[in-house]
Amino acid sequence: MTNSSYLDELSEVTITDAGLCLMALFLAVFITSANATTVLAIWRTPSLRTLANTYVCSLACADFVVGLACVLMALFMLPPVRLELFYNHIGVCSLFQGIVIGMVLLSAIHMTLIAVDRYLYIIRPYFYQRVINIRVISGFVGATWVVGLVLTFLPQFVAKPYGDVPVCDVTQRQPVWYTFYICLVLYSSLCIVNFVLYSIILHAAGKQRKAVRANVPVSHQSGKSEGENHREQGQVNSEDAPAVPTCSQPKRLSLPGPYGLAHCRGETRCLTPTARVVSFEWQV
C-alpha cells in the first residue's frame, strides 16, 4: 500500500467507524460516571470509609482514567481524526497506548490487593487485625500507583518511530519486552493470583457453611418457631411425678436467650425430694 492510497482510505468515515465511535463514547460515559459515583459515595458516607474500601476507592480512580482513555479511543475510530491527531503526532499515539496499558494493569493490581485483603481478613483474621492499618494500606496504594504511572508514561520513551506509513499499532510501536515480558506476563500472573485467592476464600466459606448447618438443632430444621423451641426446652416434665405438688416457689430469672440477655418468669413446684416440674415463660 502506497502512502497516497493509505491517506485516501483514511479520508472517509463509514457507518462502522461511526458505530465504533459511538460505542466508545458510551463506554467512556458509563465508566467515568460509575466510578465517579463510587468515589463520591465512599467520600460522603462515613460508614463506607473503611480500610478495605480504600482499595475500592483507588480502583475507582484508576478505572475513571480508563474511562477518559475511551474518549481517545472514540476519536481513534474516526479515520480523519486518526490521521490528523494520532498519525501526525507520535506522542499522542504513545500516550493513548500507555494510558490503556498502564491503567488496565493498575486496575488488575488493585484487584489483587483487594483479593489479598479479603484473604487475610477471612482466613487470617488475627494477623489482619494486628498488621493491617491505614499506613500499610496507604503504602501499598502509593506503590501501586507508582508502578501504574511508570507503565503509563514508559511508551513515551521506548516507542519506535513511525516508518514510511504511520500506523498507531501497539505491536509495531512498542518493544516486545514492554508489551509481552512486562505487561502480558504481569497481567496473567495477577489473574492467576486472584483466581487462587478467591478459590481459597470460597472453599473456606463452604466449610463454614457446612459447620453452621451441622450445629443447627433438629427442632429448627422441622420448621418450629424460636418461642416454641425455648418453651419445649424450658419444660422439664416427669411422668412419674405425683399429681399434687407439695410446694410452690415463683421465681424470675435472667438467662441468656437467643437474642442476648432475656428474662424468664417461672414457677418451680416441688413434687418429691427427687422430682420437680419447672416451667418457664420466656420474655425477650
Side-chain angles (χ1 to χ4, degrees), residues 97-218:
Q97 294 174 352
I99 291 177
V100 173
I101 295 175
M103 292 298 108
V104 169
L105 283 173
L106 183 60
S107 298
I109 297 174
H110 276 90
M111 294 297 295
T112 303
L113 290 177
I114 295 174
V116 172
D117 181 85
R118 294 299 86 193
Y119 170 82
L120 295 177
Y121 183 82
I122 297 174
I123 308 299
R124 299 289 185 268
Y126 297 107
F127 177 82
Y128 184 89
Q129 296 293 334
R130 187 175 66 254
V131 175
I132 303 301
N133 51 47
I134 188 61
R135 291 184 178 180
V136 174
I137 293 179
S138 300
F140 279 118
V141 170
T144 300
W145 273 95
V146 169
V147 173
L149 292 176
V150 169
L151 293 176
T152 299
F153 292 102
L154 190 60
Q156 297 285 346
F157 306 98
V158 300
K160 301 177 183 178
Y162 284 144
D164 296 334
V165 178
V167 177
C168 187
D169 188 353
V170 66
T171 59
Q172 300 182 18
R173 293 283 337 286
Q174 304 303 327
V176 177
W177 61 266
Y178 173 78
T179 57
F180 180 79
Y181 294 107
I182 292 182
C183 299
L184 184 60
V185 172
L186 179 60
Y187 187 81
S188 302
S189 302
L190 293 174
C191 292
I192 294 174
V193 172
N194 292 338
F195 177 79
V196 172
L197 289 179
Y198 281 116
S199 298
I200 296 175
I201 292 173
L202 291 176
H203 179 68
K207 292 175 61 177
Q208 183 66 22
R209 184 179 181 183
K210 292 180 180 178
V212 171
R213 286 184 174 181
N215 292 329
V216 174
V218 179

Side-chain angles (χ1 to χ4, degrees), residues 1-10 165:
M1 179 183 296
T2 62
N3 194 11
S4 60
S5 61
Y6 184 74
L7 295 178
D8 292 338
E9 183 180 351
L10 293 177
V165 178

